Structures are given as C-alpha cells and as structure tokens.
Amino acid sequence: MSELARRIAITIGALLIYRLGCFIPIAGLSPQAGLLQPNAAARLSIFSLVIFPYLSAAIIIQLFSVVWGRLSALERSGEAGRRRIARYTLSLTLLFAAFQAFGIASTLQSMRGLVAEPSAWFLVSTTATLVGGVFFLVWLSELITRHGIGNGLALILSVGIVAAFPAEVATTIELLRQGAVSGNLVLFNAILSVAVVAMIVLVESARRNVPVQYVARQVGKRVFAPRASVLPIKLNSAGFLIPVTVAPWIFNLPLALATLVFGQTPWLAAAYAHLTYGKPLNIVLISIAVFLLAFLYAARVLDPEHAAAALQKLGGTIPDVAPGDATADHLDRIASLTTVVGAVYLVAVLLIPAALLASGTVLPYNFAGGSVLIVVCTNLDLKKQVRELSRINRGGERI
C-alpha cells in the first residue's frame, strides 16, 4: 500500500469512528423520553461537546502568545517549548470540558423525564463521559494530523457541519413542496452559496508575491548561484479560525458571566435578544471584532522584522529596498495592506448571510459564513496535502 493510500485509509477510519460515536447516547437517559432518535442522539451523545473545549483552549493560548512575549518565546523555543504549551492547552481543555459537561448533566437532570434515575452518580458519570469524549476526539484529531491527511481538528469540525447538510437540503425540498418557500428564493440561496464558496476559494488562494533577489553565496563546499525568487504573503494571513471563533466571545462571554451572577433578568434577556445572530447590533459588533482580531492575529503570523533578518542572513534583498530596517518597514506596509483586504473579506463572508437573514431573504437553515469558511478552507488544505503526497509518491517510484 502506498503512503498516500495508507494516510487516506487512516483519515477515513478515524472520521468514521467519530461519526459512529455521535450516535452513542449518554448512559442514564430515559428511553421513554423519546430522545434516542438519531438526531437527538447526536445532540446527546458521548461526543456532544465535540472538540470545542480544546479549540477554545488552543485559541486562548494563541491569543496569550500574541500579547505575552514569554509565552511566544516558549512557542518558538523548539520541541520542549511546544510540549509545554501542549500541556497548558490540555489542562485548560480539561477545565473547560468539565465545566461544560457538568452544566449539561445538571440541565438534563433538572428536566423531568429525561433521566431514568436522577442522582449524584448520573452527574459524575455524565460529566466523565463527556470529558472523556472530548479527549478521545483530541487524540483522534492528532492521529489524523500526524498519520493521516489534513488538519485533524478542522476535519472533525468539517465532517460535523457536512453531516447536517443532507437533512437541511431535505427540509428545504419539503418546504418547497409544501409551498412554504418559493422557487425563486431557493434559486437565490443556491446562487448565493456558490458565490460565497467561490469568493473563499479565490481569496484563500491569493498571494501577494514580493520579489526577492539572492546573491551568490557559499555554504561549506556548496556554492549557490544568484537567483530570483518571491516571498508570498497571503491576503488572509490571519486565517479563519481565530477571528471567526473568538469574535462572538467578546460579547457572549460577558453575558454568560452576568447570567451566572445575576440570573435571568429582563435586561439580560433584552441584551440576548439584540445580540441574536442576524440582528443589527450583532452584525455591527461582529464586524468590528472580526476586523480587529484579523489585525491582531496577522501581527503574530507575519513578523516583518524576523522576515527581514532571515532574508539578510540568506543573502536576499528586495529590489530597490535596503536590507535591514528598510526591508522590515517595506514588508510591514505590504502586510498591513493585505491584512486590510483579508479582514474585509472575513467580515463579508461572515456577515452577508447574517444580513440576508435579517432581511428575510435566506432559507430557514444554517447557512453561516463561519461554517462555510471551515469546510472550504479544510478542503483546500486537504487538496494541497494530497497533491504533495502524490508528488512525493511519484518521485519515489521514479527512484
């Protein structure tokens, strides 16, 4: 079996295990509650938390590395530093997962008829089951990343999104058959979906190529001739995970904490109502948050001073730009311009569906820009890795 086929088999097997686990219900639920149907079982399964606690922990650690130089230095210090950051991330994951799992268990037990035998044992066992499901998926995602194809974390998120798509299509067809929605509205949504996907593919594949000229140099006994090259800078250097995931936290997290402190109050209920997805206030705040987060994370990914120092060390110069500080300033200006384009693009992808939802011109299903970003970007990365592995396999066969 070729390396590519082996990796594909591992990836498919791991994703099938994940999907199977989505239909294994939490122990202790009452069969008479009518919740063990396939869709409900997926919501109340051992993988109900999916991998979101780990994703939240990883994002928080990355954000701290942006503003805390010591953590950033630890991340760049080599394998030992990365292992320490991995331990910090897993510890934070345990905290988040336990908090969310206990909240779910308590909510289930408080609802009459859902739990066969309400007790402390149900709270403990359900919390342990959900936390264990999170860590199993963390291990499964690492298995895919190391021995399969693609980013395991992104693939697990994408499979969960794609798995819900057939049911949404079936719902749309049924609404169309009943006359609840018009054919023109369905056609408009189909065209909108294709346009958003095309925009994502176009921008995620776009690069600003900075020309670089390398002088002749000698390393040991090897002599490198002068050559021309380019330094590619992505238009969307910030990626999609940080801005898309963190932006809602900026106002949802304070509201959640206020609810814990003050309980359900009229002013909190009004705040939640105004911040619902598709509401004008939600659109404005998300736009500002995504724009700022795109700049913040791009500053971490793009380090003009480090790039300028690396170019100078390798004997590379940008035409008509002096080495050193002038090169760093030049790269900083280019990075700032591309980040503006990337931030506007992220805001557009996230908020076009939200704005249309507010106007009532989209179908009543979950066409969210964040979900489309995750699926499309994951598939682009998957395509890139398959091509690289295919090229390596062909090279090995020629040898």
Side-chain angles (χ1 to χ4, degrees):
M1 181 183 290
S2 68
E3 177 67 10
L4 177 60
R6 186 184 69 84
R7 286 179 172 271
I8 290 175
I10 290 173
T11 303
I12 293 176
L15 293 177
L16 286 176
I17 290 173
Y18 160 60
R19 288 304 300 161
L20 177 63
C22 289
F23 293 92
I24 300 177
I26 296 171
L29 296 179
S30 173
Q32 287 76 25
L35 291 174
L36 300 187
Q37 300 300 320
N39 289 338
R43 290 193 298 272
L44 297 174
S45 72
I46 59 174
F47 292 156
S48 292
L49 293 179
V50 197
I51 206 166
F52 292 117
Y54 178 75
L55 177 62
S56 302
I59 287 173
I60 287 175
I61 294 294
Q62 287 194 30
L63 287 176
F64 269 108
S65 71
V66 173
V67 298
W68 190 16
R70 185 176 177 181
L71 189 60
S72 179
L74 183 64
E75 190 177 25
R76 298 179 180 179
S77 63
E79 187 60 30
R82 286 190 289 271
R83 282 199 298 268
R84 285 186 64 184
I85 288 179
R87 287 198 295 270
Y88 296 156
T89 305
L90 290 175
S91 299
L92 198 55
T93 300
L94 178 60
L95 180 64
F96 287 166
F99 179 77
Q100 294 178 37
F102 184 78
I104 291 175
S106 301
T107 302
L108 290 175
Q109 187 161 270
S110 66
M111 299 173 71
R112 175 175 293 184
L114 291 188
V115 179
E117 296 181 7
S119 63
W121 172 247
F122 174 80
L123 293 176
V124 172
S125 63
T126 300
T127 300
T129 298
L130 293 176
V131 171
V134 171
F135 277 87
F136 180 81
L137 290 181
V138 170
W139 172 80
L140 206 61
S141 69
E142 287 294 325
L143 178 69
I144 295 172
T145 301
R146 293 183 181 183
H147 304 290
I149 297 178
N151 183 303
L153 178 64
L155 274 172
I156 287 176
L157 291 174
S158 297
V159 167
I161 295 168
V162 172
F165 184 69
E168 292 175 347
V169 172
T171 300
T172 302
I173 293 174
E174 180 63 21
L175 290 173
L176 184 62
R177 187 186 67 81
Q178 295 176 359
V181 297
S182 67
N184 289 335
L185 182 59
V186 173
L187 179 62
F188 170 77
N189 278 263
I191 295 173
L192 173 66
S193 302
V194 173
V196 170
V197 170
M199 180 172 66
I200 294 172
V201 172
L202 178 65
V203 176
E204 293 295 333
S205 304
R207 303 288 187 276
R208 168 71 186 274
N209 292 323
V210 180
V212 178
Q213 186 68 43
Y214 290 95
V215 299
R217 61 191 181 95
Q218 183 173 350
V219 180
K221 295 183 179 180
R222 297 186 62 185
V223 177
F224 294 88
R227 63 187 180 89
S229 183
V230 294
L231 178 65
I233 299 177
K234 287 186 64 176
L235 287 186
N236 179 30
S237 300
F240 63 93
L241 211 52
I242 296 290
V244 169
T245 309
V246 177
W249 292 359
I250 294 177
F251 46 87
N252 284 336
L253 188 57
L255 286 177
L257 293 175
T259 303
L260 288 175
V261 174
F262 301 106
Q264 292 290 345
T265 63
W267 64 271
L268 275 174
Y272 274 114
H274 285 295
L275 291 172
T276 303
Y277 179 76
K279 297 293 185 180
L281 184 59
N282 176 278
I283 293 174
V284 172
L285 292 179
I286 286 287
S287 300
I288 296 172
V290 168
F291 204 88
L292 294 177
L293 286 167
F295 268 92
L296 181 64
Y297 196 65
R300 177 182 180 274
V301 175
L302 297 173
D303 189 343
E305 293 183 1
H306 177 75
L311 283 176
Q312 191 170 13
K313 183 179 179 180
L314 296 172
T317 58
I318 298 174
D320 302 324
V321 180
D325 291 340
T327 297
D329 291 340
H330 180 72
L331 292 176
D332 185 59
R333 285 194 298 271
I334 294 175
S336 298
L337 290 173
T338 56
T339 301
V340 169
V341 175
V344 171
Y345 146 76
L346 286 175
V347 170
V349 171
L350 285 175
L351 297 182
I352 286 174
L356 292 174
L357 178 64
S359 66
T361 53
V362 293
L363 292 171
Y365 64 79
N366 186 27
F367 177 60
S371 300
V372 179
L373 266 173
I374 291 171
V375 173
V376 175
C377 291
T378 301
N379 279 279
L380 289 175
D381 180 61
L382 201 62
K383 179 182 177 182
K384 179 183 177 182
Q385 290 200 29
V386 169
R387 283 184 172 178
E388 289 177 353
L389 285 170
S390 299
R391 178 176 52 81
I392 292 171
N393 282 345
R394 288 196 299 270
E397 290 171 0
R398 285 197 297 270
I399 293 172

